[in-house]
Amino acid sequence: MKMDVLLGLQWGDEGKGKIVDVLAPEYEIVARFQGGPNAGHTLEFDGIKHVLHQIPSGIFRSQILNIIGNGVVLDPIVLKREIDGLGKFSIDYMKNLVISKKATIIIPTHKLLDAALEQSKGDKKIGSTLKGIGPTYQDKIGRTALRVGDILSPDFKEKYEALVAKHKTTLSFYSHPLDELPGMEEQFFAAVEFFKTLNLIDSEYVVNDALDSKKRILAEGAQGSLLDVDFGSYPFVTSSSTMAAGACTGLGVAPSKIGEVFGIFKAYCTRVGSGPFPTELFDKDGEDMRKEGNEFGSTTGRPRRCGWLDLPALRYSIMINGVTQLFMMKGDVLNIFKEIKVCTHYVLPSGEKIDKLSFEITEQDVSPVYKTMKGWNCSLENIHSYENFPAELKEYVEYLEAELNVPIKLVSVGPDRTQTIMR
Ligand code: GDP
Ligand code: IMO
Ligand code: MG
C-alpha cells in the first residue's frame, strides 16, 4: 500500500483542512508531516466551524488515527488549547491522536526570537505568524533543539535551561524585552505536564506497519508549495519543506511508497504576509474577492492579499510535487465576476515574455499577461453535480485542466463538507 499526499499548491489557505475532512472516511490514518501552529486548517460541518492548527484534520472522524509526525514543530501550549477546544465534540484523543517523539518542540523563547528577528528586518519583514516556526527549525537543523521525547527525560529542565540561555544571548543582542517570559514559561511547563500524558510514539513504525498491513494513509500538508523553504519566494517563505518530498522526511516514508499526490488550489490566489505576488489586485476586484471569499487569516486574522490565478506558478508547483490530481477550491467566490482573468505568462521589463519562476525574478520586475474569460456570474448554491455547472464554469475548469495537464477531480463550491463536487 502507498501513502497519498494532499498539499497546497499556492501560498497556503487553499482549503486543505476542508478536503482532508471530506476525504478522511476513505483512510485509516491522517498524518501531518511539517509546519506547526502557523497553520490554520478550517473544517465546516453540521453548522460548526472549527480551525485546527497542529492536530490533523481527520480528528473529527472517530475511526481515524491522527498522527503528528516527526517533521512537525509543536507548541505544547497551543496543543493543550486545541485539545481542550475539542472537549465539546467528545473526541477520544487518547485513542485517535498520537505524536512522534522525534517532532521538535517550540519553546517560549522561540516565539520571542521570532518577534525579535522580524522586528530587526524592518520593512523587509517576512510577515511571519510569530508562532516561533523559523527559530525552532533553525535549532532543529542546527542540532540544538528539544524534541517531544525529551520531555520524558529526567534532565529535560536542564536541557531546556541550556537552550534558553543560548536564546537569551541572541535576544539581548536584539535588545528584545523578556518581561513576558516568566508567564509564558509557567504556561509552557503546565502544558508539558499535560503533554506527557499523551500518546508519544515512534510514528515512523506505526506509519510503515500500517502500509504493510494495507491500511490507507493520507498525509496532510500545511502552508503551500510557494512557501516552501527551497522553492518558494525565498526569503519570504516558511522554514519547512512543504512539498510532497517533505511527507517522506516528515513521516519516515520512502519515496517509493508515495501514491496519489492531491494538489489543492483556489480558483484565484491569496497570500498572507510579505513577498512577491505577481497577480495581486490592488483595486475593487481584489477587495471584492477578499470580501466574497472571507479572506482573512485563520491563524492571525490578517486580511489576505488577493489576485487572479497564476498558471506559471501553479505549473511550477505541480512539477515539483508530481501532482496526480487537482482539486479546485472556492469556485463559488468567483460567482461575483462578469469577467475572470488567468495569468498565462509574465513579462520582464526588457519585454521578454516568460512562463518560468526563475531565481532572478522578483516582485518588481514581472508583470502578468492575462487571458480573460467570461464569468458565470450566478449562484452555485443549488448545484450538486458537475453536469449542472454553468457552461462558463465548465469552460474555466476544462481550460485549466488542458493548460496544467492534470485532471481536476474535485471542485469545491462552499466551505461546508457537503459543498464538494467530485468529477
Ligand atoms: P487551509 O489552511 O488550506 O486549510 O485553508 P484555511 O482554512 O486557512 O482557509 C480556507 C478558507 O476557505 C476557510 O475559511 C474555509 O472554510 C473556506 N473554504 C474552503 N473551501 C471553500 C469553498 O469552496 N468556498 C468557500 N466560499 N469557502 C471555502
Ligand atoms: P496553512 O497551513 C498561509 C506564511 C506567513 C508568512 C510566511 C512565514 O493554514 O495554509 P511563518 O509563521 O511560517 O514564519 O511565516 O508564511 N504562512 C502561511 N500563510 N497559510 C499558512 O498555513 C501559513 N503558514 C505560514 O504568513 O508569510
Ligand atoms: Mg490556513
Side-chain angles (χ1 to χ4, degrees):
M1 189 57 81
K2 295 195 173 187
M3 178 175 83
D4 296 339
V5 184
L6 177 144
L7 35 81
L9 299 180
Q10 296 161 320
W11 288 283
D13 303 327
E14 296 89 350
K16 299 175 291 292
K18 167 181 165 163
I19 295 303
V20 171
D21 171 61
V22 168
L23 297 183
E26 295 172 28
Y27 292 88
E28 271 120 344
I29 294 177
V30 173
R32 278 276 307 268
F33 56 90
Q34 47 69 234
N38 49 351
H41 294 181
T42 314
L43 292 76
E44 278 193 46
F45 55 91
D46 302 340
I48 299 164
K49 176 173 167 168
H50 204 91
V51 183
L52 294 167
H53 300 286
Q54 305 181 122
I55 295 179
S57 302
I59 198 72
F60 291 99
R61 308 278 192 176
S62 61
Q63 75 287 12
I64 303 265
L65 178 67
N66 291 272
I67 299 180
I68 300 179
N70 57 280
V72 172
V73 290
L74 205 49
D75 185 334
I77 300 173
V78 178
L79 187 68
K80 179 163 189 316
R81 202 182 302 139
E82 284 200 83
I83 290 178
D84 289 346
L86 292 174
K88 56 178 178 291
F89 299 99
S90 60
I91 285 165
D92 186 356
Y93 58 84
M94 286 309 290
K95 172 173 153 266
N96 290 344
L97 179 69
V98 297
I99 302 165
S100 168
K101 285 187 190 171
K102 298 185 180 85
T104 308
I105 297 185
I106 301 175
I107 69 169
T109 39
H110 284 133
K111 291 183 263 189
L112 298 180
L113 283 168
D114 215 354
L117 290 164
E118 273 286 78
Q119 223 163 31
S120 74
K121 293 191 170 106
D123 61 2
K124 301 239 170 5
K125 74 175 168 41
I126 288 161
S128 162
T129 60
L130 302 179
K131 304 292 177 192
I133 306 297
T136 307
Y137 275 116
Q138 248 175 308
D139 272 334
K140 171 177 171 169
I141 303 302
R143 301 171 292 188
T144 50
L146 297 170
R147 302 200 291 174
V148 169
D150 289 324
I151 64 172
L152 303 172
S153 125
D155 60 354
F156 176 64
K157 196 77 198 276
E158 286 90 86
K159 285 181 177 165
Y160 171 86
E161 294 295 353
L163 187 55
V164 169
K166 248 189 259 167
H167 289 170
K168 280 185 176 166
T169 317
T170 314
L171 288 165
S172 129
F173 172 82
Y174 288 110
S175 312
H176 196 83
L178 296 178
D179 325 2
E180 287 175 61
L181 187 56
M184 291 164 91
E185 287 188 318
E186 198 179 314
Q187 261 190 314
F188 175 77
F189 281 105
V192 164
E193 284 312 306
F194 170 71
F195 206 158
K196 285 181 186 166
T197 67
L198 300 176
N199 274 315
L200 312 180
I201 60 160
D202 290 302
S203 60
E204 60 277 28
Y205 283 108
V206 173
V207 169
N208 283 290
D209 288 348
L211 290 175
D212 287 346
S213 52
K214 306 253 175 298
K215 289 195 174 140
R216 302 200 61 199
I217 306 179
L218 180 62
E220 172 182 3
Q223 290 77 56
S225 302
L226 303 176
L227 288 171
D228 180 80
V229 67
D230 286 279
F231 297 103
S233 40
Y234 194 89
F236 302 102
V237 294
T238 191
S239 298
S240 64
S241 175
T242 61
M243 45 195 288
C248 295
T249 54
L251 287 168
V253 172
S256 57
K257 290 188 179 160
I258 298 295
E260 297 290 326
V261 179
F262 306 123
I264 303 215
F265 68 101
K266 278 179 193 172
Y268 49 99
C269 286
T270 65
R271 178 166 200 170
V272 61
S274 334
F277 181 175
T279 63
E280 181 168 13
L281 291 167
F282 299 95
D283 58 3
K284 186 168 177 308
D285 283 350
E287 261 170 55
D288 291 348
M289 230 180 241
R290 184 174 309 115
K291 213 162 127 204
E292 191 64 18
N294 191 23
E295 295 296 357
F296 296 89
S298 317
T299 298
T300 57
R302 291 177 292 177
R304 295 177 183 147
R305 301 155 66 192
C306 295
W308 297 116
L309 193 65
D310 182 334
L311 285 183
L314 207 46
R315 243 183 240 119
Y316 185 72
S317 297
I318 290 169
M319 174 183 79
I320 61 173
N321 287 301
V323 172
T324 59
Q325 298 185 31
L326 287 166
F327 298 166
M328 186 175 96
M329 307 300 291
K330 303 191 93 158
D332 55 304
V333 175
L334 298 186
N335 292 355
I336 54 169
F337 295 105
K338 290 206 168 68
E339 281 187 339
I340 292 169
K341 290 184 182 169
V342 182
C343 168
T344 57
H345 294 84
Y346 311 126
V347 174
L348 297 176
S350 64
E352 189 192 347
K353 214 169 156 186
I354 55 163
D355 63 358
K356 296 221 158 32
L357 276 66
S358 66
F359 178 86
E360 287 80 13
I361 65 167
T362 66
E363 187 165 28
Q364 287 78 28
D365 55 30
V366 301
S367 29
V369 178
Y370 289 116
K371 172 185 166 72
T372 302
M373 301 184 67
K374 196 164 178 284
W376 44 98
N377 207 209
C378 63
S379 164
L380 303 177
E381 205 150 1
N382 297 315
I383 296 179
H384 305 290
S385 73
Y386 185 77
E387 286 64 43
N388 295 330
F389 272 6
E392 295 84 355
L393 175 53
K394 278 190 192 160
E395 243 166 74
Y396 190 62
V397 170
E398 285 158 29
Y399 167 71
L400 298 179
E401 219 168 23
E403 285 293 315
L404 299 168
N405 211 15
V406 180
I408 298 179
K409 292 279 202 182
L410 178 158
V411 180
S412 175
V413 293
D416 194 84
R417 256 183 201 169
T418 56
Q419 294 169 303
T420 313
I421 315 281
M422 304 288 188
R423 282 178 79 206

